[in-house]
Amino acid sequence: MTEPAVGFAGGKLILTGEHAVVYGFPAIAVGLDLGTTVRLEPVDGETHVASEPADDRLLAAVRAALPAEGLCVRVSSDLPIGCGMGSSAALSVALVRAHAALEGRALTPDREFTRSLELEKVFHGTPSGLDNTVAAYGGAIRFERGDPPKIRHLTPPSCTLVVLESGEAGDTAALVAGVRSRHPGNQPTLDAIGALTAEIEAKLDDPASLGPLLTRNHRLLAELGVSNARLDELVELALAHGALGAKLSGAGGGGVVLALVEDPQPLLDAAAARRIPAHLVTLGGRA
Ligand code: PMV
């Protein structure tokens, strides 16, 4: 039997700059080891998805990425879907990589980015490209949208994060449209996030200073109207259990909260006691 062609891409967490990035401000995001794998097996007949869930957007991305005939597609992921951890960008890049592997080619990250961005548009309209950039290049990235976008590779901060799932999926396209509908009245908040991102970049390797800046970022995102009661509650839970700082990460309206911690255990215990799904993420080789 022919071996399947396999493509993997990692998810991401946005440390700062979500939403403001749509208005030209920089954002900083880090790639994760958690991610999405696509397997392509040659078969007779129409290309089809054999894994669950095979929702309409996945089918549309598969149609856009792959030949109409001859493939069985299986997708597996250890990223929660629609949670601001870059599941759709990871899927887009994994599809592009699997297709290249099938054709016996390796693409440059630049090509992977360009091709996957087309697929990402199937998932949510006009993405800034931040998620795809991190999925294609990995590591820590400072990103400014544009054609082409301005990308700077940063040394990943050495820190420990606890990621708390809100249990609700945020709708990125609707949240971005909501911020747009309140523009330009919310420009001062976007400006403040832009200024904060510069401060965060300067303090990436100083967790004691970084923590409060992340919490300030969350408050500004709440002012922008993309947080909700559950996300605010998770931020407070994290701060009450030793986090240096915490914020929603991604489009908001659900998704995840990331908490910067020295010792993850108190927060992991508090999350377990409340049955809140939590992930421990270590960046920059921190044990
Ligand atoms: O896909 P998410 O939930 O990580 O959000 C993407 C970040 C936004 O700035 C809200 C949108 C974008 O296209 O950059």
Side-chain angles (χ1 to χ4, degrees), residues 5-7 38 40 65-67 71 93-105 107 115:
V6 181
V38 171
L40 304 178
L66 301 174
L71 292 172
V93 174
L95 264 172
V96 167
R97 286 183 176 156
H99 189 213
L102 185 77
E103 295 184 333
R105 294 178 296 125
L107 300 175
R115 291 198 179 177

Side-chain angles (χ1 to χ4, degrees), residues 12 14 17-19 21-22 84 86 124 126-131 172 176 250-251:
K12 65 93 192 48
I14 301 179
E18 52 272 90
H19 289 288
V21 70
V22 174
H124 48 81
T126 53
S128 65
L130 169 63
D131 287 19
T172 299
V176 169

Side-chain angles (χ1 to χ4, degrees), residues 3 16 59 64-65 88 95 113 147 162 178 210 215 233 255:
E3 286 289 302
T16 180
L59 295 176
S88 64
L95 264 172
F113 167 74
D147 194 10
V162 173
L210 182 60
T215 307
E233 205 176 280

Side-chain angles (χ1 to χ4, degrees), residues 12-14 17-23 27 82-89 117 120 124 126-132 143 145 170-173 175-176 179 221 226 248-252 254-256:
K12 65 93 192 48
L13 285 171
I14 301 179
E18 52 272 90
H19 289 288
V21 70
V22 174
Y23 296 82
C83 281
M85 290 175 79
S87 60
S88 64
L117 192 60
E120 182 75 344
H124 48 81
T126 53
S128 65
L130 169 63
D131 287 19
N132 290 72
F143 175 95
R145 78 178 300 175
D171 180 338
T172 299
L175 288 150
V176 169
V179 173
L221 287 164
V226 298
L248 72 85
S249 178
V256 294

